[in-house]
Amino acid sequence: MHGFRLNLCILAALVLRYNAGLSHGDPELNPLPSGPGAEDELHRKWDHEWAFSGVSTFAHLKHVKCLSNRDVPFDIGVIGAPFDTAVTYRPGARFGPRAIRAASARQLPPRAFNHRRGLNPYLSPFTILDCGDIPISPFDNALALRQMSEAFLELGSRTPSLAKDDNPKPKLLTLGGDHSVALPALRALNKIYGGPVAVLHFDAHLDTWNPAKYPSEWESQQSQFNHGSMFWIASNEGLILNGSSAHAGLRTRLSGQDWGDYVDDERQGFLRISSDDIDDMGTKGIIDAIVERIGLETQTYLSIDIDVIDPGLCPGTGTPEPGGWTSRELIRIIRGLEDLNVVGADIVEVAPAYDGTGEQTALTAAQLGFEILTSWVGRGMSRLENTSARKTTDKDEL
């Protein structure tokens, strides 16, 4: 009998706990938001995302199909270029934009204050959108080149959200894709700004090769467009400022038995900084050499091939070359160049199929994107503050 009563007591306690659980936080017992403040309450309750939740966009930014929507202005657009049919070795960079976006998941806008610059690029007066991907043909490289050129021109010609004299056009951060995507970007910038721009090129390879350096009896006009010759084409089209451009992180093998590749490169006006130079110059020396070469007001296109970093640290790329920089060294250099007048940028050659299980290549690319966006916003904020100060001075003088 005693045991029976004990069991009844235990059962009663469990029932009470169960009923208490039902009444605690049961949405059916809580009234749904209503009235004038209902929408605000819904936003407060449900707009939050964790790093591991939500639809994958770069840094959880708002996604707009910018190419087909001219009604949403932006100052900076993150655009994917999933194209990799112009590679000479391992394909797979078409999946780079998706991998970089996924790796940027911990860049939650409320927790993205950049301590080195003293600002949060995602919580600034500038509108940054994830503009999705360019729908690039995987079958026809001539068509793909045209599609990318028209897409970059379309987006880069828009009126920015904060339209100012010193902010006349929006900036695009392109997530590649193989490195050939730089050619259509430069073609678009040439039309937008009315002339050539400097190129700051971080890469293990020159990418200024004459297409004839790829030996084949089966030549064609279209085969000249590849991820090792796009700067050669751009230079010959007059898209690159000769004498104001630079490579950094080089360690590639050359063609033939002489210095012909360097002769071609010098003809196109590039300064060459090798990967080994960091041992003698340090990151500051490299920063200083680049700034001296390009200047702070020259309109510049920043192009980062992830293979500039050693493949022991970033294996997820198509043409790996041992002996590269560390991710920390490259990030430090990028931070030191934040005062350059960068009008467009890309991060290319991330091929996640060859990445490690920790996604270290994609993570590094996402961090580089964060640093570029921070530099753009920081430079823009400084310009806004200077403009405001000038207006205040003018009023005082009146």
Side-chain angles (χ1 to χ4, degrees):
M1 189 61 133
H2 176 72
F4 178 74
R5 288 177 179 172
L6 180 61
N7 288 337
L8 280 177
C9 290
I10 293 173
L11 180 60
L14 289 173
V15 170
L16 286 172
R17 288 186 65 184
Y18 177 76
N19 288 335
L22 284 180
S23 63
H24 180 69
D26 187 339
E28 293 186 0
L29 300 180
N30 292 330
L32 294 174
S34 61
E39 188 169 341
D40 289 339
E41 184 177 348
L42 289 173
H43 282 296
R44 287 195 304 271
K45 291 174 68 174
W46 306 119
D47 267 0
H48 170 73
E49 290 184 356
W50 295 99
F52 50 81
S53 66
V55 176
S56 184
T57 66
F58 190 88
H60 298 259
L61 293 169
K62 180 180 178 181
H63 172 234
V64 176
K65 287 193 172 183
C66 303
L67 282 167
S68 56
N69 189 342
R70 289 179 170 175
D71 296 329
V72 183
F74 59 91
D75 299 293
I76 301 172
V78 180
I79 182 74
F83 174 77
D84 66 359
T85 51
V87 300
T88 57
Y89 193 45
R90 303 192 303 202
R94 69 180 63 182
F95 297 104
R98 181 182 297 178
I100 297 170
R101 286 187 175 104
S104 73
R106 291 186 62 246
Q107 296 181 30
L108 290 163
R111 294 181 56 84
F113 183 82
N114 193 323
H115 62 88
R116 63 94 180 172
R117 193 62 174 83
L119 61 84
N120 184 331
Y122 307 129
L123 300 179
S124 79
F126 295 94
T127 300
I128 308 178
L129 298 179
D130 188 324
C131 290
D133 289 348
I134 305 170
I136 305 168
S137 171
F139 307 117
D140 184 334
N141 279 10
L143 174 59
L145 178 56
R146 194 183 98 202
Q147 289 173 318
M148 289 187 282
S149 299
E150 291 187 13
F152 290 135
L153 182 60
E154 170 67 33
L155 296 179
S157 299
R158 303 273 177 87
T159 300
S161 178
L162 277 177
K164 305 283 183 181
D165 290 341
D166 51 11
N167 187 43
K169 296 297 179 184
K171 293 179 172 59
L172 298 178
L173 172 59
T174 304
L175 308 179
D178 73 49
H179 213 153
S180 63
V181 305
L183 176 60
L186 288 169
R187 285 178 172 174
L189 288 172
N190 185 266
K191 290 184 178 295
I192 293 165
Y193 290 99
V197 298
V199 170
L200 175 53
H201 174 220
F202 290 92
D203 202 321
H205 311 92
L206 290 168
D207 292 352
T208 54
W209 279 293
N210 186 322
K213 294 294 181 73
Y214 293 101
S216 175
E217 292 297 320
W218 303 87
E219 295 181 3
S220 70
Q221 182 68 28
Q222 190 51 53
S223 67
Q224 294 187 7
F225 172 57
N226 61 73
H227 74 161
S229 297
M230 72 284 176
F231 289 141
W232 182 88
I233 297 172
S235 180
N236 280 277
E237 291 181 2
L239 309 180
I240 298 176
L241 276 176
N242 193 312
S244 297
S245 298
H247 307 292
L250 296 173
R251 56 191 185 278
T252 185
R253 291 169 295 279
L254 303 179
S255 307
Q257 294 179 294
D258 57 24
W259 305 98
D261 289 348
Y262 282 175
V263 173
D264 286 344
D265 188 67
E266 287 160 4
R267 190 178 297 120
Q268 295 169 55
F270 278 86
L271 168 72
R272 289 189 303 276
I273 299 172
S274 74
S275 181
D276 290 346
D277 285 337
I278 202 167
D279 297 329
D280 301 318
M281 300 171 66
T283 56
K284 186 178 185 306
I286 289 173
I287 292 166
D288 291 343
I290 291 171
V291 170
E292 182 180 357
R293 178 70 168 189
I294 296 176
L296 296 180
E297 296 303 323
T298 304
Q299 292 169 339
T300 303
Y301 184 74
L302 171 61
S303 189
I304 302 176
D305 187 325
I306 205 67
D307 71 24
V308 71
I309 298 174
D310 191 89
L313 298 171
C314 286
T317 192
T319 50
E321 300 283 358
W325 290 342
T326 66
S327 54
R328 181 179 61 82
E329 289 167 339
L330 179 59
I331 289 169
R332 178 66 186 87
I333 292 168
I334 295 298
R335 288 174 172 175
L337 297 169
E338 64 183 1
D339 290 329
L340 294 182
N341 184 18
V342 176
V343 295
D346 65 46
I347 304 169
V348 297
E349 298 287 355
V350 173
Y354 316 111
D355 209 355
T357 55
E359 303 173 306
Q360 58 266 43
T361 310
L363 283 168
T364 300
Q367 180 65 29
L368 289 166
F370 175 64
E371 299 296 343
I372 292 169
L373 296 178
T374 297
S375 295
W376 273 342
V377 170
R379 196 174 199 273
M381 293 290 288
S382 297
R383 294 294 177 102
L384 287 178
E385 292 168 1
N386 291 338
T387 300
S388 177
R390 284 197 301 271
K391 288 182 178 178
T392 301
T393 302
D394 291 344
K395 286 182 180 179
D396 292 342
E397 290 177 353
L398 291 174

